[in-house]
Amino acid sequence: MAGVQMSMRPTNRIDHFLPIRFKNGAVVKQFSKPCIKCGQLLQARHMHGIARLLEDHLAMAATAHCPACHTQFGVACVIDNEKRVRRVVLPLFLFKLYLRTLAMHPDEVAAHEQALADIAKAQTPVIKAEPVDYPRAGSIIGRYGDKPIPAYIVVDGREVPFDRIEADGQVNVGEYLLDGCFVYKPAHP
Ligand SMILES: [Zn+2]
Protein backbone atom coordinates (compact mmCIF):
# COMPACT_ATOMS: atom_id res chain seq x y z
CA MET A 1 0.00 0.00 0.00
CA ALA A 2 1.14 3.52 -0.72
CA GLY A 3 1.72 5.76 2.26
CA VAL A 4 -0.71 8.46 3.21
CA GLN A 5 -0.37 11.39 0.82
CA MET A 6 0.56 14.40 2.95
CA SER A 7 1.30 16.95 0.27
CA MET A 8 -1.30 19.63 -0.21
CA ARG A 9 -2.82 20.15 -3.61
CA PRO A 10 -2.02 23.70 -4.76
CA THR A 11 -5.74 24.48 -5.11
CA ASN A 12 -6.32 24.03 -1.36
CA ARG A 13 -5.76 27.67 -0.61
CA ILE A 14 -7.27 28.60 2.74
CA ASP A 15 -8.99 31.68 1.32
CA HIS A 16 -11.07 29.37 -0.89
CA PHE A 17 -12.67 27.97 2.28
CA LEU A 18 -13.67 31.45 3.41
CA PRO A 19 -15.98 33.04 4.28
CA ILE A 20 -17.48 30.67 6.84
CA ARG A 21 -20.57 31.54 8.83
CA PHE A 22 -21.22 30.07 12.26
CA LYS A 23 -24.70 29.18 13.46
CA ASN A 24 -24.68 32.23 15.80
CA GLY A 25 -24.25 34.50 12.76
CA ALA A 26 -20.57 35.30 13.22
CA VAL A 27 -18.69 35.24 9.92
CA VAL A 28 -15.00 34.53 9.46
CA LYS A 29 -14.00 36.36 6.27
CA GLN A 30 -10.26 36.67 6.71
CA PHE A 31 -7.47 34.88 8.45
CA SER A 32 -4.02 36.33 8.85
CA LYS A 33 -0.89 35.47 10.73
CA PRO A 34 2.56 37.10 10.88
CA CYS A 35 5.49 35.27 9.27
CA ILE A 36 7.48 33.55 12.02
CA LYS A 37 10.73 34.78 10.47
CA CYS A 38 10.25 38.29 9.04
CA GLY A 39 6.96 39.36 10.60
CA GLN A 40 5.19 40.09 7.27
CA LEU A 41 1.44 39.66 7.77
CA LEU A 42 0.38 36.65 5.72
CA GLN A 43 -3.22 36.25 4.56
CA ALA A 44 -5.30 33.14 3.98
CA ARG A 45 -4.26 33.19 0.31
CA HIS A 46 -0.66 32.56 1.41
CA MET A 47 -1.70 29.33 3.15
CA HIS A 48 -2.51 25.94 1.71
CA GLY A 49 -4.25 23.24 3.66
CA ILE A 50 -7.67 22.56 4.95
CA ALA A 51 -10.38 24.31 6.95
CA ARG A 52 -13.40 22.58 8.41
CA LEU A 53 -16.42 23.78 10.35
CA LEU A 54 -16.92 21.47 13.32
CA GLU A 55 -20.01 22.46 15.29
CA ASP A 56 -19.11 25.89 16.73
CA HIS A 57 -15.47 25.80 15.72
CA LEU A 58 -13.58 26.39 12.52
CA ALA A 59 -10.56 24.11 12.52
CA MET A 60 -7.70 24.96 10.21
CA ALA A 61 -4.46 23.22 9.35
CA ALA A 62 -2.23 24.75 6.72
CA THR A 63 1.26 25.38 5.51
CA ALA A 64 1.97 29.10 5.19
CA HIS A 65 4.42 30.39 2.61
CA CYS A 66 5.80 33.89 3.14
CA PRO A 67 6.01 35.83 -0.18
CA ALA A 68 8.60 38.18 1.35
CA CYS A 69 11.23 35.79 2.78
CA HIS A 70 9.97 32.42 1.42
CA THR A 71 9.86 30.83 4.85
CA GLN A 72 7.36 28.00 5.17
CA PHE A 73 5.73 27.11 8.45
CA GLY A 74 2.76 25.20 9.77
CA VAL A 75 -0.41 26.87 11.02
CA ALA A 76 -2.81 24.79 13.08
CA CYS A 77 -5.58 26.48 14.97
CA VAL A 78 -9.21 26.48 15.96
CA ILE A 79 -11.40 29.59 15.69
CA ASP A 80 -14.50 29.63 17.86
CA ASN A 81 -17.82 31.31 17.07
CA GLU A 82 -16.67 34.47 18.87
CA LYS A 83 -13.68 34.54 16.52
CA ARG A 84 -11.17 33.69 19.25
CA VAL A 85 -8.21 31.85 17.78
CA ARG A 86 -6.54 29.01 19.67
CA ARG A 87 -3.41 27.25 18.63
CA VAL A 88 -3.60 23.50 18.26
CA VAL A 89 -0.75 21.65 19.91
CA LEU A 90 -1.29 18.39 18.05
CA PRO A 91 1.44 17.86 15.43
CA LEU A 92 0.40 19.58 12.21
CA PHE A 93 0.41 16.49 10.00
CA LEU A 94 -1.84 14.58 12.43
CA PHE A 95 -4.24 17.50 12.65
CA LYS A 96 -4.40 17.75 8.84
CA LEU A 97 -5.05 14.05 8.59
CA TYR A 98 -7.78 14.26 11.21
CA LEU A 99 -9.54 17.11 9.40
CA ARG A 100 -9.27 15.32 6.05
CA THR A 101 -10.91 12.20 7.36
CA LEU A 102 -13.99 14.08 8.55
CA ALA A 103 -16.82 13.96 6.06
CA MET A 104 -18.04 17.23 4.61
CA HIS A 105 -21.06 18.10 6.74
CA PRO A 106 -24.10 19.60 4.94
CA ASP A 107 -24.12 22.40 7.54
CA GLU A 108 -20.63 23.31 6.44
CA VAL A 109 -21.66 23.77 2.82
CA ALA A 110 -24.73 25.75 3.88
CA ALA A 111 -22.65 27.97 6.17
CA HIS A 112 -20.27 28.82 3.36
CA GLU A 113 -23.02 29.55 0.85
CA GLN A 114 -25.03 31.63 3.32
CA ALA A 115 -21.97 33.75 4.11
CA LEU A 116 -21.26 34.32 0.41
CA ALA A 117 -24.89 35.33 -0.17
CA ASP A 118 -24.80 37.78 2.76
CA ILE A 119 -21.66 39.43 1.49
CA ALA A 120 -23.01 39.70 -2.06
CA LYS A 121 -26.16 41.36 -0.67
CA ALA A 122 -24.15 43.82 1.43
CA GLN A 123 -22.00 44.98 -1.45
CA THR A 124 -23.28 47.94 -3.39
CA PRO A 125 -22.65 47.69 -7.12
CA VAL A 126 -19.89 49.96 -8.40
CA ILE A 127 -19.11 50.86 -11.99
CA LYS A 128 -15.59 49.95 -12.91
CA ALA A 129 -13.68 50.46 -16.12
CA GLU A 130 -12.82 47.33 -18.07
CA PRO A 131 -9.17 46.38 -17.50
CA VAL A 132 -7.23 47.19 -20.67
CA ASP A 133 -3.48 46.85 -21.02
CA TYR A 134 -2.54 49.96 -23.00
CA PRO A 135 0.97 50.46 -24.42
CA ARG A 136 3.05 52.16 -21.69
CA ALA A 137 5.69 54.88 -21.71
CA GLY A 138 9.23 53.75 -21.03
CA SER A 139 9.74 56.26 -18.26
CA ILE A 140 8.46 55.56 -14.78
CA ILE A 141 7.40 58.59 -12.74
CA GLY A 142 6.95 56.81 -9.45
CA ARG A 143 5.67 53.72 -7.72
CA TYR A 144 2.44 52.83 -6.01
CA GLY A 145 2.89 49.83 -3.76
CA ASP A 146 4.95 47.46 -5.88
CA LYS A 147 3.61 48.84 -9.18
CA PRO A 148 5.63 51.24 -11.34
CA ILE A 149 3.65 54.19 -12.71
CA PRO A 150 4.24 54.83 -16.44
CA ALA A 151 4.39 58.55 -17.34
CA TYR A 152 1.82 58.03 -20.08
CA ILE A 153 -0.06 55.38 -22.01
CA VAL A 154 -0.77 55.28 -25.73
CA VAL A 155 -4.42 55.20 -26.79
CA ASP A 156 -5.22 55.24 -30.52
CA GLY A 157 -1.71 56.59 -31.27
CA ARG A 158 -2.06 59.46 -28.78
CA GLU A 159 -0.04 59.89 -25.61
CA VAL A 160 -2.32 60.18 -22.59
CA PRO A 161 -0.51 61.47 -19.49
CA PHE A 162 -0.83 60.10 -15.97
CA ASP A 163 -3.31 62.07 -13.89
CA ARG A 164 -3.82 60.41 -10.51
CA ILE A 165 -4.26 57.25 -8.49
CA GLU A 166 -7.71 55.90 -7.71
CA ALA A 167 -7.33 52.98 -5.32
CA ASP A 168 -10.85 51.73 -6.07
CA GLY A 169 -10.41 52.00 -9.86
CA GLN A 170 -13.19 54.57 -10.41
CA VAL A 171 -12.72 56.79 -13.45
CA ASN A 172 -14.70 59.55 -15.15
CA VAL A 173 -15.87 59.52 -18.74
CA GLY A 174 -12.97 60.09 -21.13
CA GLU A 175 -10.33 58.82 -18.70
CA TYR A 176 -8.44 55.54 -18.88
CA LEU A 177 -7.62 53.05 -16.15
CA LEU A 178 -4.36 51.08 -16.04
CA ASP A 179 -3.48 48.25 -13.62
CA GLY A 180 -6.72 48.80 -11.74
CA CYS A 181 -5.68 52.06 -10.05
CA PHE A 182 -3.74 54.46 -12.33
CA VAL A 183 -5.88 57.06 -14.07
CA TYR A 184 -4.76 58.64 -17.35
CA LYS A 185 -6.49 61.73 -18.66
CA PRO A 186 -6.09 63.28 -22.14
CA ALA A 187 -4.52 66.76 -21.95
CA HIS A 188 -6.65 68.02 -24.89
CA PRO A 189 -9.80 65.99 -25.08
ZN1 LIG B 1 8.70 36.09 5.99
Side-chain angles (χ1 to χ4, degrees), residues 150-162:
Y152 61 87
I153 56 172
V154 179
V155 182
D156 298 331
R158 276 191 316 164
E159 290 180 9
V160 180
F162 174 76

Side-chain angles (χ1 to χ4, degrees), residues 73-93:
F73 58 97
V75 178
C77 65
V78 167
I79 304 169
D80 70 16
N81 62 8
E82 288 170 351
K83 298 195 193 178
R84 283 182 301 231
V85 179
R86 284 191 209 109
R87 228 154 47 86
V88 171
V89 287
L90 203 67
L92 181 62
F93 80 94

Side-chain angles (χ1 to χ4, degrees), residues 55-75:
E55 299 292 319
D56 291 335
H57 293 82
L58 176 64
M60 185 185 305
T63 301
H65 178 258
C66 176
C69 74
H70 302 293
T71 297
Q72 289 203 34
F73 58 97
V75 178

Side-chain angles (χ1 to χ4, degrees), residues 8 42 47 55 88 90 94 99 106:
M8 295 288 116
L42 307 189
M47 303 170 194
E55 299 292 319
V88 171
L90 203 67
L94 272 181
L99 292 180

